């Protein structure tokens, strides 16, 4: 017969395991359902208070429905072939035949085909419904089939409709592809690290359960319009949860492995492992979650969307690590590590690469930190080369896409902004001076007021509530830096017209506003994230000097990573710049996650220093945690690298920044720079805590703090 206490010890892990199996079986499918509540409509993610957003709202008054323009481009079958009146008439008839078909705005008359100045191309615009969703490719195919009836030509489709279709295609299958890539990568690394058959599967299962729970919560919130989800947020959530849950699991399983040989039974070993791991895991999760929540301060809706979604994912990862994993490990005991044999910290520390690294840090700490600091500063010197002014359309997608090819054709034969005009909304009584100001702006190719027929310059101007709309075709491509400069000049010109109350919007203006908003966001969010991390570290390590040191080294690691990224993006990957949000996302992920490893290290160093003094504490802490933290870093880096399977430059850039930065932080900053600095500074690194008053004999001061404090 089991005693009541013994029965309770086994009952708790069994109940927890059953509960998580229920969560996994019930909520697991939601990991594949987020796409049902996701939107890839970029108009939904514009800056809230920007001028271009105000114009977007005002535009709705000038038409009954929102539209998604598809720009049809015809060119000759042979290079340099001229297109005559016959093809132009046929193209106009082909567009007219689309009126009233499924997906085309009801009552909207497709534009007549317009010839280019060189006579080698034609273009026309078909206004589609913006809510087509999965039907968009089908509607575009119908448009292409109709356009293909023009004899002697080949047809392409450009414009927002084509770009949105290619974007949706890039995210197609993200649930399965990204998750499979991440899980397979993590599983292989865990098998190599632990040489255990069962433990990697347990860790992966815990991460998958955490992801299922997170996705179910996010699904409900998104379905009730509490949070927004797009393909980027969806992909990052999967990677974040898998990576974080695996990292936290590695810390707990390593501590449990140390406790098994020295504890009386597996339950006691888990209690001890949890007691010693709880603080670092919760503090690490808090730094990432609160860092992500700082994105709520952003004026960019997609940044604000990632904040709570990512924080929910991290909370679920911590919950799984502290409940599901302990339950399974208690039930499995030593069998979890089979065929490897669990070793105590003392047995593990007697040999290996981390013993040699600790010896190097102990023998020459000043030389170690000077060399590593110098190398990081050199890398950081290249950081100003990284431009984050946005990327042109031909760099948004990593692979060749039909919309990009069509836009390039359009730009070769028509003004760069054709089909994607800047939109000016102004007071109707000041139409003429505003129109003159628009036409007189450098970089504007042509401009006309939208008429009652719905097309620019085709009749009497359409006046709605005393306002008129002017469409201005820019000389340069709508996604170019020159076009953004033109928008700046255009705003200056129309704002100067007295009483016109003019606003400038459109696609280029939206990019311009997004870029400026992202710059403002960095000025606000970066110091907030650093302050959050500093407060958590002060509470965990009972020190002020040490947290300042850790925050400074992690920030330096981020700047050094940006420097290396600038070189790789330009000279290896061929990117001319980055999306404005890339540096901010990279900062939040890299700094918050980078502090995780310093938390894992320094909480163990503090524990050992309380027993043996700072010098011995640094060496013991580095030796004990070196393997598990490096493994965690490699796992997280490999997990984020899986984002590169999605053929979008934004996610490829994020993948590289976080992957390289985590490896640099794990293998250089946390392994060499931080231990060497603490070893050189000595007990003063713990000021003003009790450890800073350590006697010169190297032993810890008399202190009533338990040996496991701060863990």
């Amino acid at each position: 017969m089991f005693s009541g206490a013994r029965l309770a010890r086994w009952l708790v892990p069994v109940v927890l395991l059953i509960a998580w199996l229920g969560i996994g079986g019930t909520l697991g499918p939601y990991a594949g359902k987020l796409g049902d509540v996701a939107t890839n409509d970029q108009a939904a993610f514009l800056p809230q208070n920007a001028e271009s957003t105000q114009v977007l709202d005002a535009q709705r008054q000038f038409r009954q429905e929102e539209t998604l323009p598809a720009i049809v481009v015809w060119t000759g079958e042979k290079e340099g072939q001229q297109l005559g009146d016959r093809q132009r008439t046929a193209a106009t008839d082909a567009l007219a035949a689309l009126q009233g078909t499924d997906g085309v705005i009801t009552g909207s008359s497709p534009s007549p085909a317009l010839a280019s100045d060189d006579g080698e191309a034609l273009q026309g615009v078909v206004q589609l419904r913006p809510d087509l969703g999965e039907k968009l490719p089908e509607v575009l195919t119908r448009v292409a089939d109709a356009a293909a009836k023009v004899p002697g030509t080949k047809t392409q489709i450009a414009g927002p409709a084509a770009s949105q279709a290619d974007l949706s295609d890039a995210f197609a299958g993200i649930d399965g592809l990204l998750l499979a890539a991440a899980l397979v990568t993590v599983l292989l690394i865990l098998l190599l690290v632990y040489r255990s058959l069962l433990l990697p599967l347990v860790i992966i299962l815990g991460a998958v359960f955490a992801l299922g729970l997170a996705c179910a919560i996010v699904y409900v919130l998104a379905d009730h319009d509490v949070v927004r989800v797009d393909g980027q947020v969806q992909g990052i959530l999967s990677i974040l949860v898998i990576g974080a849950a695996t990292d936290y699991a590695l810390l707990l399983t390593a501590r449990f492995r140390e406790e098994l040989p020295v504890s009386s039974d597996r339950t006691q070993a888990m209690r001890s492992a949890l007691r010693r791991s709880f603080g670092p895991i919760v503090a690490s999760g808090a730094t990432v979650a609160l860092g992500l929540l700082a994105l709520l301060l952003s004026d960019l809706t997609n940044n604000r969307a990632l904040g709570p979604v990512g924080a929910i994912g991290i909370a679920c990862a911590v919950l799984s690590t502290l409940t599901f994993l302990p339950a399974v490990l208690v039930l499995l005991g030593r069998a979890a590590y089979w065929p490897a044999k669990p070793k105590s910290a003392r047995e593990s520390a007697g040999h290996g690469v981390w013993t040699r690294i600790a010896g190097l840090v102990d023998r020459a700490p000043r030389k170690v930190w000077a060399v590593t600091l110098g190398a990081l500063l050199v890398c950081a010197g290249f950081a100003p080369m990284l431009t984050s002014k946005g990327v042109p359309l031909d760099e948004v997608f990593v692979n060749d896409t039909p919309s990009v090819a069509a836009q390039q054709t359009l730009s070769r034969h028509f003004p760069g902004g054709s089909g994607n005009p800047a939109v000016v909304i102004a007071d109707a009584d000041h139409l003429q001076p505003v129109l003159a100001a628009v036409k007189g702006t450098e970089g504007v190719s042509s401009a006309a007021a939208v008429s009652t027929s719905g097309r620019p310059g085709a009749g009497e101007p359409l006046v709605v509530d005393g306002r008129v709309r002017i469409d201005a075709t820019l000389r340069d491509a709508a996604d170019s830096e020159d076009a953004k400069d033109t928008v700046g000049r255009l705003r200056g010109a129309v704002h100067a017209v007295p009483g016109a109350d003019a606003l400038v919007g459109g696609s280029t203006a939206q990019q311009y506003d997004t870029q400026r908003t992202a710059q403002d966001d960095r000025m606000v969010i970066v110091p907030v994230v650093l302050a959050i991390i500093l407060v958590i570290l002060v509470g965990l390590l009972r020190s002020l000097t040490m947290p300042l040191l850790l925050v400074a080294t992690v920030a330096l690691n981020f700047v050094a990573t940006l420097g290396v990224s600038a070189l790789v993006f330009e000279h290896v990957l061929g990117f001319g710049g980055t999306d404005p949000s890339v540096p901010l996302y990279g900062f939040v992920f890299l700094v918050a996650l980078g502090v995780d490893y310093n938390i894992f290290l320094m909480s163990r160093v503090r524990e050992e220093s309380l027993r043996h003094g700072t010098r011995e504490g640094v060496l013991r802490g580095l030796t004990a945690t070196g393997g598990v933290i490096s493994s965690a870093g490699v796992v997280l880096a490999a997990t984020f690298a899986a984002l590169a399977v999605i053929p979008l430059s934004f996610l490829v850039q994020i993948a590289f920044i976080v992957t390289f930065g985590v490896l640099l932080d794990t293998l250089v900053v946390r392994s060499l720079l931080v231990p060497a600095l603490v070893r050189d500074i000595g007990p003063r690194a713990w000021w003003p805590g009790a450890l800073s008053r350590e006697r010169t004999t190297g032993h810890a001061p008399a202190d009533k703090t338990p040996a496991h404090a701060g863990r």
Side-chain angles (χ1 to χ4, degrees), residues 505-576:
S507 174
T508 305
Q510 290 166 8
Q511 297 175 46
Y512 178 82
D513 288 338
T514 298
Q515 177 183 320
R516 296 184 64 181
T517 302
Q519 293 171 349
D520 294 340
D521 284 349
R522 291 198 293 270
M523 299 298 293
V524 173
I525 294 174
V526 166
V528 169
V529 172
L530 292 177
I532 289 171
I533 292 173
L534 185 62
V535 169
I536 292 174
L537 288 175
V538 169
L540 179 71
L541 300 177
R542 322 284 174 82
S543 164
L544 182 58
T545 303
M546 186 69 75
L548 288 171
L549 175 66
L550 296 181
V551 169
T553 55
V554 171
L556 176 59
N557 177 72
F558 170 69
V559 180
T561 299
L562 288 188
V564 174
S565 299
L567 297 176
V568 172
F569 290 167
E570 180 177 357
H571 300 293
V572 178
L573 300 180
F575 295 129

Side-chain angles (χ1 to χ4, degrees), residues 157-183:
I157 300 180
S163 297
Q164 185 166 313
D166 284 342
L167 188 64
S168 298
D169 185 59
F171 284 117
I174 184 176
D175 302 320
L177 178 62
L178 187 58
L179 192 58
L183 291 178

